Structure formats: C-alpha cells, structure tokens
Amino acid sequence: MDDTAELTERFERYCDTKDNDVPSDVLNELQSIQRIFSISAEELDFKWQAYNMKMGGEENKLDLKTARDFKKNLQDTLERETRGKVQQRTDAKRVAPTPRAAKGADMYDMLDGMIATPRAGALGSAAKRRSNFDTPASKAHKNHEMSSPAGGVTPRADTNGAPAFDFSSRTSAGDITEQLNGHIALPDPPEEYPTEARIKLKANTDMSKFSYKTMAMKLSEASEVLDDRIDEFRQLLQEHLELEDSAFGNPYYQSPSEIIAVGRICSDTSEGKLNAASVVLEGSRRWGSGRRVPLALEKLQTYNFFPGQIVALKGTNASGDNFVVSEILTLPLLTQPASTPEELDTSNARYLDTPESDPSSVRPLTVFMAAGPYTTDQNLDFAPLHQLLDNAAEAYADAIVLVGPFLDAEHPLIRSGDFDIPSHLASPDQATMTDLFRHFLSSALQSFAQRLPTCNIILVPSLRDAHHHHAAFPQDRFVKKELGLGAAAKQVQCVTNPMTLVMNEFVVGMSSLDVLDMLRREEIASGKAKTVNLYERAARNVIEQRSFLPVFPPTAREKLLKPEQIELAVLKEDEEDQGPGPFLPLGTMLDTSYLKLGEMLSVRPDVLVTPSVLQGCVKVVESVLVINPGTLCKRRAAGTYARLVVQPATISDDEREKGVPMAHKLWERARVDIVKI
C-alpha cells in the first residue's frame, strides 16, 4: 500500500466531508508533515489522536485549518524538546565553585555564601507594616502541585485555552465505531426477569499472593526472576521442538558453529528508543553467562522486537563482536481453553432466565467493559459512569467489568484538592480518598445494583487509583469492606491487576496497564511484520510472551502523555523559590520480584481485555478475542466502551459421543461492539 492510500485510509474517518473523503489540500499537509518529521502514516495517525484528545476530542474534525494547527503544534513541540536538551547540556557544564573564606575571614564567613540569610527590612518598612504576627505558613503549597491549598486560595485546572466540554450536549452517543460479528443480533429484553445471576464467576488467579509488601524489592530476587524467565522459555522451546541440549549455546562466546540462543531483548543504552543498531541479547547466567551481546539483523527479512521480549534466535558469533541472526524461532503458545460437552451443557443451562424458560429460545449473555478515567478533567460529576450504568441496566447486562483508574491521581482536581467535600461526611477536614470513592462511585454502584440485582460487577484496580493502598504492579485488589458498598457488596467482585477470570465456560484475562501504547512506543518492526496492524502485532506479542506486561523496563514516565498542568493562584514572594518541577505521569511502578504474578500460567484466555488510550478496537489473534474498550472519558471529550454479546456453545453429535474437551471458539459466537458513550 502506497503512502497516499494509507493516509487516506487512516484519516478519512476524521474528516467531516461527503463520504469522509480526505480533501487534496489536507492530504498535501499530511504528506508535508510526514516529510518534515520522517514518520510513517501509522505514527502520524497516533500523533493526531493524541493532539485530538488534547484539543477537545471528537468534535475536532480534520480540515485544512486543523491540519495546519496540528503541524504547527508538532513543530512547537519539537522546538521545545530541542531547547530543553540544549539547556540540559549547558546546565551540566556549569559547576559551582567551591566556597572559600575571604582573606582574614573565618569558616562562618565561608558559610554565608552557601546558606541564604534572610534580609531584614528597614524598621518601619512596608513589609514590616504588613506583618500580622500570625504563625508563619509553609511555602510548600505555593508552588508544589501535589500540596493542599492554603487559606482561601483554590487551584484551578488549566484548560490551555480549549473550550469547556459539556457531556450532556455531546453528539454521536451510542454510535458503534468498530464491530465484530455484527450479524449476531442484540438480545431482546427478557420476558421473565432472571431469578439469579446467569454468569458464574471463578477466579483462575491466586489473589492471596498479591498482598505482598511494596517498596521491599531486593536486587538479588529481581535478578533471579528475570533470569528464571529466560530459562523457562528455553525449556519450553526445547520440549516443543524436541531438541537436545547441544543445540543451544552461549551467543557471547566466539564460535563458527550455528547455535540457538534464548535471551531477552535489550538496548545498549539507557536513553532513547530501541533501534536496529542498538539491539543486544541478554542471556541467562546458565546459558549466556548473564552477558549482553550485540545482534546483527542484516540477514533477517522481517522482525519485531521490543525491550524485555524473550526470543529464540538461530545464528553464529564467528567474529566474537556480535551474534549474526539467521532465523527467529517461534515460541510455543499456551494451550487453548477447552471444556467437555457435559461442562458446556451446564454452562448453557445458565443462559435460561428461569428454569421454566424455553431452551430453544435462550437469551445471549451481555457483558459491558469500560476503563477509566470515568469523568473528564474539568469536573468530578462522573456523568459518563452514570450513563454507562444506565445503558447496562437498559440492556439487562449480566456482567459489567470496570477497569481503573476510578479516582485518577492524575486528575487536575484530585491533584490540587480543588473539589467540594461531601456534606454528609462528619469531619470534612479529615476526609480521605476512600471517603470520596464512597461518595462518587459506591453510591452509583449501589443504585445500579438495586436496578439490576442479577448483574455481576467486577472492579479492576489501576496504578493511578488515588484511594488504593497498593501502587505497584502486580497490584492487589481493593479492600471491599472499605468501599462502603452496602447491599451491593454481594454483586461486586474486587479482583487483582492483572486477573484471569472464568465466566461460565470462557476465560477472560484483564489488566489496567496500557500495554498496547507501551508496545507502540518501544517496539521496532521491519519487513512483513511492519505491515501487520499495530493492534494485532501488539496483541500477538502479549499472547506469545504469556505476560500482561511483556515490556521490560516499562515505558519511562517522561515519554507518556503529560497530565493537565495546574495553575496555582498565589503570589510568589521571590522568584528564586520555584519549588519542584512540572508534574509527570505516574508511569508503571513495577515490583520485579513478583513479576511472575503478571503472567498467564495455564491457558491463554478466550477474551483478552487490554484498555488503552489508543482508539478502541477488537481483533481476533491466535484464537483470542482481544478487546480494547478505549477509555470511557478523554480529557475533554466522551470516550468509548465495549459491549460483548455471547451466544451459547453448540455441540455436535460427534463431539458429544467422543466426550473429549472441545475448544470454546468464542470468536465465532460472540459479537463485540465498541460504542461511544
């Protein structure tokens, strides 16, 4: 596909023209941006999505003016980054001279140059007359974004000049942006109200192991976990291909013989993005001496690598300088989940609303999936969440999966403390984030549970949840008794991050980490692999690596989309007291010692839920239904959620006679819609 055709295919959905055609002048601007910044059409599409989200989301249509504004924004960003790098190099060269005492002075005079001495004003000066002799207030609140406001000063969320977003006046609510198996009809309302939940939940993850103590990681334990992961994949590959130990070798040692080397993809530098010239292979201590060897990729027709990826490479190291790769071996996948005909019959019986319902006209299951944030950056009314719950109640949903963040620590109002304390709290000055969760979220879940008492509600935490005590991945579940759910507690299931859950017969894997965006930022692809859709490529990497977080180390917080800045309306006493730097995204806090908890252990899931800031999508990869519901809210725009409709499994007479476990094939009997809220 040439560049013009690919640009048209990717950007036509953003144009408000007849048949969504991309005007020629807009196309010329996009091609100009490609030439200036040397980026592909795919990367340009992602940059437009990020810009669109920043400037107001869905309402910002692509025309000549917005294309030029987009181009100018990219140029301004590049200039700022360039100036920042130059400034960093200049600052690094400035070395403060060692303080020395003046001739005839003592050591205390030398300290005068190191410690700022307060300057006393003249007696009767204006500063003295303004003094009210109160207890001096701390200066921390004046410039620190994470500090609570003092006095009557209230921080304001900065909108950067963008128009305020009114959720109630949004357009295109309910539109389907992407669909799979649209021929499957949406279920009609039940004739008889279900007497009990139609979905039976079973945890396929040992959640008790997630309650470990954070901030206690030992380097020795972390290195053993990383080392064992390489050896485990080597053992899996050896058993899968029935190879002898002699087929494997140390890629660091110089030898003309061809060997198979299993190791972890790394970069030879801690800064910058991985590229073909900086790829190195890190071996285990047993099979690679724990060393790193540069990789020569010239003989490969196609490849797809990212930091932390476990790979099996065939090649030689004849020179002793690098390992020349001749072939990439495919790693074995986990087995598909399967059930016997008797087990499927038991699951199909749960599709009936009541025991007396007609088995020939069963109602399919409906599962809603959404990911936070659940309110825009401009308020804490959680209107999108209330709308989602209303939609689920109208559809008589059987389960609703809510993935964090719920109280987003990167939300401007949460960071600044600029919100009203609920009036029903006894001590507003002692209110905690858990109290706010009860007020904003638990009350909504209680109301929904009363309307739909047979619906399972699943809460998946996020590293950005401000009220959660556990802030490292793998992440422990919420403490349900602290959420104040009342009668709704029976329907709410708090699970870990990540989590593998069995719903009736099908297996659902879920995590709140944005692994799709991480892989987009960190990977390198060449040849045929580069032509594969990004979502499919990323999903296959997650499935092949058997991990909900295959990237190691995770994307640095400096590379992520920065949160909205907070502008404090206070006067600075002097320009020298600038306080901390700008607020950065929280990033992915990782406890490497427990990384095993983030892996898929027994089978690959039927459904893989991978929420991302990227556009919502649904793909079928290696018999896995991969769903990205998007985020329910963007910064100043409405987002999307996923609706999953599952029909009962069909069993042929031959399969029933054999009685052996059969694959669920959920991708054939499930409809998935990515819906605008």
Side-chain angles (χ1 to χ4, degrees), residues 95-101 110 113-114:
V95 180
T98 304
R100 301 182 184 277
M110 180 178 69
M114 301 175 62

Side-chain angles (χ1 to χ4, degrees), residues 84-151:
K85 293 178 181 178
V86 172
Q87 183 65 30
Q88 289 176 3
R89 289 194 296 267
T90 304
D91 293 343
K93 296 178 181 178
R94 296 175 181 172
V95 180
T98 304
R100 301 182 184 277
K103 186 176 180 180
D106 57 15
M107 60 177 291
Y108 298 104
D109 295 323
M110 180 178 69
L111 292 177
D112 287 342
M114 301 175 62
I115 304 175
T117 304
R119 297 183 298 273
L123 189 61
S125 65
K128 186 70 175 179
R129 288 194 299 269
R130 285 198 303 267
S131 176
N132 55 8
F133 300 98
D134 289 340
T135 302
S138 171
K139 293 184 180 181
H141 71 277
K142 295 184 178 180
N143 296 310
H144 199 327
E145 293 182 344
M146 298 298 290
S147 302
S148 299

Side-chain angles (χ1 to χ4, degrees), residues 233-241 248 262 312 329-330 332:
F233 271 89
R234 191 205 65 82
Q235 185 67 26
L236 288 171
L237 183 70
Q238 183 175 6
E239 295 174 356
H240 178 67
L241 299 179
F248 298 89
V262 180
L329 302 182
T330 303

Side-chain angles (χ1 to χ4, degrees), residues 196-214:
E196 60 181 13
R198 299 198 302 158
I199 291 182
K200 182 179 180 181
L201 302 177
K202 179 183 177 182
N204 205 22
T205 299
D206 188 356
M207 293 190 286
S208 61
K209 295 181 179 180
F210 285 76
S211 57
Y212 61 88
K213 293 183 179 180
T214 58

Side-chain angles (χ1 to χ4, degrees), residues 356-372:
E356 294 78 20
S357 299
D358 184 8
S360 61
S361 59
V362 296
R363 187 167 59 94
L365 299 176
T366 302
V367 181
F368 278 51
M369 301 174 180

Side-chain angles (χ1 to χ4, degrees), residues 514 517-522 549 551-560 587-588:
D514 191 350
D517 189 51
M518 284 190 196
L519 288 169
R520 176 185 73 86
R521 293 174 181 273
E522 303 296 337
L549 180 59
V551 182
F552 184 86
T555 301
R557 55 194 301 207
E558 292 83 6
K559 297 181 182 179
L560 302 177
T588 304

